Amino acid sequence: MQKYSGFGLLKHALSHHENWQRVWRNPKPKKHYDVIIVGGGGHGLATAYYLAKVHKVTNVAVIEKGYLGGGNTARNTTIVRSNYLWDEAAFLYEHAMKLWEGLAQDLNYNLMFSQRGVLNLGHTLQDMRDIERRVNANRLNGIDSVALDTAGVQKIVPIMDCTSRARYPILGASWQPRAGVARHDAVAWGFARAADALGVDLIQQCEVDDILMQNGNAVGVNTKQYGEIHADRIGCVVAGNSGVVAKMAGFELPVESHPLQALVSEPIRPILDTVVMSNQVHGYISQSDKGDLVIGAGIDGYNGYGQRGSYPTIEHTLQAIVEMFPIFSRVRMNRQWGGIVDTTPDACPIISDTPIGNLFFNCGWGTGGFKATPGSGHVFAETLAKGEANALAKPFSMFRFHNGALVDEHGAAGVAH
Amino acid sequence: MFYIHCPYCDEHREEEEFHAKGQAHIARPLDPDACTDEEWGNFLYFRANPRGIHHELWVHAAGCRKFFNITRDTQTYAILETYRLGEQPSVTSQS
Ligand SMILES: Cc1cc2nc3c(=O)[nH]c(=O)nc-3n(C[C@H](O)[C@H](O)[C@H](O)COP(=O)(O)OP(=O)(O)OC[C@H]3O[C@@H](n4cnc5c(N)ncnc54)[C@H](O)[C@@H]3O)c2cc1C
Ligand SMILES: [Zn+2]
């Protein structure tokens, strides 16, 4: 792999940047792999990278029906934080946060990871009680977290309407200084490039349409483009399509697929240098390095596989944003899109073995899995290498929905994104 | 934007008057105490999630406030029929 550096940039400038090495190979699939990963989003690519790097399993293919990162990975609003309430979730997301902090160096790829802090606003007394509780739980778990009052919030975001005249007055917030944003497609490309360099085959434009079975075990996948590809173990990381792929293997997952949308404004001068989220009025906002305001909404209430969101949701979200930021009332919106998110009943992911031998799933990240990308790949790689989940991943077995050991982050952590 | 026919009001109204309430036709087990953990977990948490024809419960929240069912394609978003509670769908993935 050609190493990226400032010097390299200068050197290639001399040849008009025409001689850069291709970022990854484009191989034809082999007949057999040790591990097949279905789904080339950030989580699948991170899984492949850590399988090769940490566990030295390099005979691996990532099979993607579209292009790498074209699913939710490059459709999300890129918020990264780890201030979850319950121990199980907090440990998992904080594991990811620690990996984020050295990831650009590790992958030799600029991820534009920016720890600009995240505010989760409170608008009611109950919000504030929940925030106090979560902040204290975070601190006991070694996660940076601060409870702010109105004045504290106003100091961080001077342009926000923190007066008592607001329709939903801001009473305070939780503040995680180490949280922030990263460039989403760079995350997919960085993991893909590093995995490819370690020998992982990235197979794009290749759709899995069946799981091959033998005596209750999965032994490979069938693909539309290349037919059968065999493997010792299979990891499915297909987000909104998890239910569809599980059905190919003949079992059900406790996930429902919903459209989730986001929108960006025209680019404007730097005006917002942090991330502001409000669960109560349901809108959140940050500003990208390009200058556009990145705005996210809630899911559409109905199930859907169309990668677009409904108009009433846009309207509600923008009402909330303009209420909090009257200064943005005349900014024009530029683009709007949707992804399909796989939600679970307890708003926590599923990293798990399944009723089928040698078949594993990493899904259910719903509206908030981007932040977990490196951590999710790291723990799932171990699951696939050893055939068994490690301590961080174990609480997220799909069988928790039968034995009742849910990790109820819904509401508790103000969990959106 | 959905334009939904409420089978009670017998009128088409805009999506914003309605709320989606998840999968339709879920029967509560008659004898919950006799359920295995698996049966009870399935009843509580496992929902059909088809890419294609789906039967859903909706409520006309800002209208007559009655619950009713919709058969809808989750891929194309086409609404294929709406029908009252207690009735069975006439469009199914088999038909
Ligand atoms: C609008 C929006 C905003 C969001 N905002 C945030 C946020 O601010 N912070 C945050 O942490 N999270 C956020 N999320 C959630 C986050 O994007 C996801 O949880 C995360 O990206 C999931 O990554 P993934 O790799 O599992 O899935 P994906 O990136 O969706 O990858 C799955 C891949 O599987 C492929 N696939 C599916 N079926 C098949 C098949 N049969 N064969 C082969 N390939 C297949 C798909 O093409 C896709 O590329 C947001 C999501 C959306 C939609
Ligand atoms: Zn009605």
Side-chain angles (χ1 to χ4, degrees):
Chain A
M1 180 172 83
Q2 194 172 44
K3 201 166 153 43
Y4 292 157
S5 66
F7 176 71
L9 205 57
L10 273 178
K11 195 180 87 185
H12 281 280
L14 298 176
S15 54
H16 306 285
H17 297 292
E18 281 171 1
N19 297 319
W20 287 99
Q21 187 187 27
R22 286 207 168 260
V23 182
W24 50 73
R25 300 166 293 131
N26 226 347
K28 286 256 169 330
K30 298 183 222 163
K31 285 267 159 293
H32 180 273
Y33 289 94
D34 293 345
V35 177
I36 285 179
I37 291 162
V38 185
H43 289 221
L45 294 164
T47 306
Y49 170 66
Y50 290 116
L51 259 175
K53 186 186 165 200
V54 180
H55 304 282
K56 312 294 175 214
V57 183
T58 54
N59 186 23
V60 174
V62 177
I63 300 184
E64 165 57 49
K65 71 172 174 181
Y67 55 93
L68 301 177
N72 293 339
T73 295
R75 292 166 186 269
N76 73 81
T77 46
T78 78
I79 297 170
V80 174
R81 61 185 180 88
S82 63
N83 51 354
Y84 282 67
L85 175 69
W86 299 108
D87 292 356
E88 295 85 350
F91 294 156
L92 184 63
Y93 289 101
E94 178 62 15
H95 178 58
M97 181 64 91
K98 293 210 168 96
L99 289 169
W100 277 113
E101 287 175 327
L103 197 58
Q105 288 73 18
D106 187 27
L107 298 178
N108 179 231
Y109 206 94
N110 184 5
L111 307 176
M112 296 168 77
F113 180 49
S114 160
Q115 292 175 292
R116 58 184 65 183
V118 170
L119 286 165
N120 290 87
L121 302 181
H123 300 268
T124 67
L125 212 52
Q126 189 57 45
D127 279 357
M128 292 313 298
R129 290 189 185 120
D130 292 341
I131 284 173
E132 289 277 354
R133 177 183 184 211
R134 181 161 50 81
V135 164
N136 285 319
N138 292 158
R139 296 172 76 118
L140 287 172
N141 281 332
I143 296 166
D144 61 321
S145 198
V146 187
L148 299 174
D149 61 8
T150 312
V153 174
Q154 186 81 83
K155 212 165 143 204
I156 293 173
V157 193
I159 57 167
M160 191 156 56
D161 182 2
C162 292
T163 65
S164 56
R165 284 194 317 269
R167 180 159 179 195
Y168 302 102
I170 293 160
L171 303 186
S174 73
W175 167 240
Q176 186 180 19
R178 278 160 72 239
V181 291
R183 180 168 172 198
H184 46 27
D185 37 19
V187 174
W189 298 333
F191 273 119
R193 171 172 168 268
D196 172 87
L198 295 173
V200 172
D201 282 357
L202 308 173
I203 319 285
Q204 301 185 66
Q205 306 286 334
C206 178
E207 179 170 354
V208 169
D209 61 4
D210 202 9
I211 306 282
L212 307 174
M213 308 273 280
Q214 223 166 54
N215 312 324
N217 294 321
V219 295
V221 298
N222 193 66
T223 65
K224 275 197 182 142
Q225 289 76 2
Y226 299 101
E228 295 190 355
I229 309 175
H230 290 260
D232 299 339
R233 285 194 180 131
I234 300 165
C236 297
V237 202
V238 291
N241 282 299
S242 297
V244 177
V245 176
K247 211 163 233 168
M248 295 173 192
F251 70 98
E252 304 266 343
L253 282 170
V255 298
E256 290 191 88
S257 300
H258 288 272
L260 177 68
Q261 62 185 319
L263 52 165
V264 292
S265 73
E266 57 192 345
I268 55 177
R269 291 272 180 97
I271 187 163
L272 184 63
D273 64 358
T274 185
V275 183
V276 179
M277 314 180 67
S278 168
N279 256 16
Q280 189 68 243
V281 298
H282 228 131
Y284 58 95
I285 184 165
S286 65
Q287 188 175 22
S288 77
D289 291 356
K290 256 187 332 196
D292 30 20
L293 299 174
V294 181
I295 296 171
I299 58 170
D300 288 332
Y302 46 81
N303 291 28
Y305 287 85
Q307 287 172 307
R308 58 182 188 268
S310 71
Y311 285 98
T313 303
I314 301 178
E315 201 174 338
H316 292 160
T317 302
L318 291 178
Q319 280 166 358
I321 295 296
V322 170
E323 183 65 34
M324 290 191 285
F325 296 93
I327 192 174
F328 292 152
S329 65
R330 294 197 302 184
V331 175
R332 280 164 304 194
M333 291 300 131
N334 214 356
R335 288 183 297 124
Q336 170 258 1
W337 65 89
I340 315 167
V341 297
D342 41 339
T343 62
T344 60
D346 62 356
C348 274
I350 290 169
I351 309 171
S352 183
D353 53 344
T354 65
I356 312 296
N358 300 332
L359 182 66
F360 300 82
F361 266 75
N362 181 353
C363 64
W365 292 94
T367 62
F370 177 71
K371 64 176 73 65
T373 305
S376 159
H378 196 263
V379 299
F380 196 48
E382 187 165 337
T383 304
L384 288 171
K386 301 193 174 153
E388 183 176 19
N390 70 12
L392 281 175
K394 212 174 224 126
F396 300 99
S397 160
M398 69 173 277
F399 301 105
R400 72 181 184 272
F401 297 99
H402 285 146
N403 66 27
L406 274 58
V407 187
D408 188 9
E409 280 292 335
H410 235 305
V415 81
H417 322 300
Chain B
M1 173 75 100
F2 291 134
Y3 201 44
I4 298 172
H5 179 260
C6 171
Y8 293 100
C9 299
D10 201 17
E11 269 184 40
H12 279 89
R13 312 291 298 210
E14 284 182 3
E15 173 181 342
E16 276 200 282
E17 290 190 11
F18 300 87
H19 281 301
K21 291 289 181 188
Q23 185 188 341
H25 306 295
I26 298 174
R28 185 183 164 86
L30 288 176
D31 185 3
D33 289 338
C35 283
T36 61
D37 285 354
E38 195 176 337
E39 285 164 347
W40 187 242
N42 286 350
F43 164 66
L44 284 183
Y45 301 121
F46 286 66
R47 296 291 175 262
N49 188 27
R51 185 162 70 192
I53 288 180
H54 192 32
H55 307 289
E56 304 172 318
L57 185 66
W58 285 67
V59 58
H60 194 180
C64 63
R65 306 190 67 184
K66 288 197 171 116
F67 286 80
F68 64 97
N69 299 314
I70 297 186
T71 302
R72 201 172 57 85
D73 188 318
T74 60
Q75 182 71 50
T76 63
Y77 290 11
I79 293 175
L80 303 169
E81 62 176 339
T82 62
Y83 53 101
R84 297 182 177 204
L85 280 199
E87 294 175 356
Q88 292 301 313
S90 59
V91 185
T92 63
S93 48
Q94 273 80 42
S95 66

